Amino acid sequence: KIGVDKGAGLHNLCRILGIDISETIAVGDNYNDLGMIKDFESFAVSNAVPAVKEAAKHQCNRIADMIDFIMEEKWQQ
C-alpha cells in the first residue's frame, strides 16, 4: 500500500501497544528501512546501504554489539 512502510508500521505498533517511541529501537540495512531508521532511535548494520548508514544514529557490526551498547547506555543513565 502506498504510504505504508516499516516506519509507519512501527509507529502504529507503538500506538497500539502503548509504547513510547523513545523506548523503541529500529535496526536496518536497506532502503525499505529508511522510514523507521529516520523516525526511531536506530542502528545500521555494517553491511547496510550508504543511505541507511548515514540516516542511522548508530552503527554496529553484529546485533550482539548493538545489545551491548544499549545495555551500557541504560546502566549509565
Side-chain angles (χ1 to χ4, degrees):
K1 184 175 178 183
I2 295 175
V4 176
D5 62 12
K6 290 180 181 181
L10 200 48
H11 275 286
N12 285 333
L13 183 62
C14 287
R15 182 182 50 79
I16 291 166
L17 297 177
I19 298 170
D20 191 305
I21 63 169
S22 67
E23 296 293 321
T24 306
I25 297 170
V27 182
D29 66 346
N30 214 329
Y31 297 106
N32 63 332
D33 298 320
L34 275 171
M36 69 177 185
I37 291 292
K38 290 177 180 177
D39 289 352
F40 292 86
E41 184 69 24
S42 56
F43 285 80
V45 292
S46 58
N47 64 336
V49 296
V52 171
K53 286 182 177 180
E54 291 171 18
K57 294 173 180 71
H58 311 281
Q59 292 186 32
C60 61
N61 292 322
R62 304 173 308 134
I63 297 300
D65 296 335
M66 179 193 71
I67 293 168
D68 288 342
F69 177 84
I70 293 165
M71 295 303 292
E72 287 176 21
E73 289 288 311
K74 291 291 184 190
W75 287 111
Q76 291 177 6
Q77 291 182 358

